[in-house]
Amino acid sequence: MIIEIGHYALVLALATALILSIVPVIGARRHDRAMMDVATIGSLAMFSLVAFAFGVLTYAHVVSDFSVENVWENSHSLVPLIYKYSGVWGNHEGSMMLWLLILTLFSALVAVFGRNLPETLKANVLAVQAWISVAFTLFILLTSNPFLRLD
């Protein structure tokens, strides 16, 4: 059940990224502060969702949940714990998740520490990072899903 929740968190991150890629740009054009503030809140929410999904994938590797195809292909129950951790991003699907996690981390850092940036610039920067996140998340969900289950 936890694997499905992690998958759902990744889908919610996609929805958040879609909203984040549109609303702040419109707000920057209209000089609407409320719409531009969506960038800050959305970036933090997107990072939280992707971090949770990555944590679920890590959990699946650590407990050797072999009902997950990614774990079955890239882990073993007898390997030391450090190799189980590194097995999370040591494959294509996990490394794409790690790239997405790093991208959303930097978006969240811009959202938190970008107070000295002009509001329109910050909104546009976070929206562009969200466009890239949409592309990464779509790629992960459609072609390289790390949460696929085995029968």
Side-chain angles (χ1 to χ4, degrees), residues 32-61:
D32 184 351
R33 180 163 175 86
M35 290 179 83
M36 288 189 287
D37 285 344
V38 168
T40 300
I41 297 164
S43 293
L44 295 173
M46 189 170 53
F47 171 68
S48 299
L49 289 166
V50 171
F52 179 76
F54 191 80
V56 167
L57 185 61
T58 303
Y59 171 79
H61 274 266

Side-chain angles (χ1 to χ4, degrees), residues 27-148:
R29 290 270 175 152
R30 295 181 182 171
H31 298 288
D32 184 351
R33 180 163 175 86
M35 290 179 83
M36 288 189 287
D37 285 344
V38 168
T40 300
I41 297 164
S43 293
L44 295 173
M46 189 170 53
F47 171 68
S48 299
L49 289 166
V50 171
F52 179 76
F54 191 80
V56 167
L57 185 61
T58 303
Y59 171 79
H61 274 266
V62 168
V63 300
S64 297
D65 184 356
F66 293 116
S67 67
V68 179
E69 183 178 358
N70 185 278
V71 177
W72 182 77
E73 290 177 348
N74 300 297
S75 187
H76 191 278
S77 59
L78 298 178
V79 299
L81 187 61
I82 188 73
Y83 295 122
K84 288 182 180 184
Y85 279 123
S86 63
V88 175
W89 62 83
N91 55 73
H92 172 71
E93 294 85 0
S95 103
M96 293 302 293
M97 283 289 295
L98 182 63
W99 276 104
L100 181 62
L101 179 66
I102 292 169
L103 176 63
T104 58
L105 170 66
F106 278 97
S107 295
L109 290 174
V110 169
V112 171
F113 297 111
R115 291 186 180 96
N116 58 342
L117 295 173
E119 291 177 10
T120 55
L121 176 65
K122 182 179 172 183
N124 284 323
V125 164
L126 292 174
V128 168
Q129 287 180 324
W131 295 342
I132 299 168
S133 297
V134 166
F136 264 93
T137 310
L138 275 174
F139 180 76
I140 291 169
L141 288 171
L142 298 177
T143 65
S144 303
N145 194 342
F147 298 108
L148 290 178

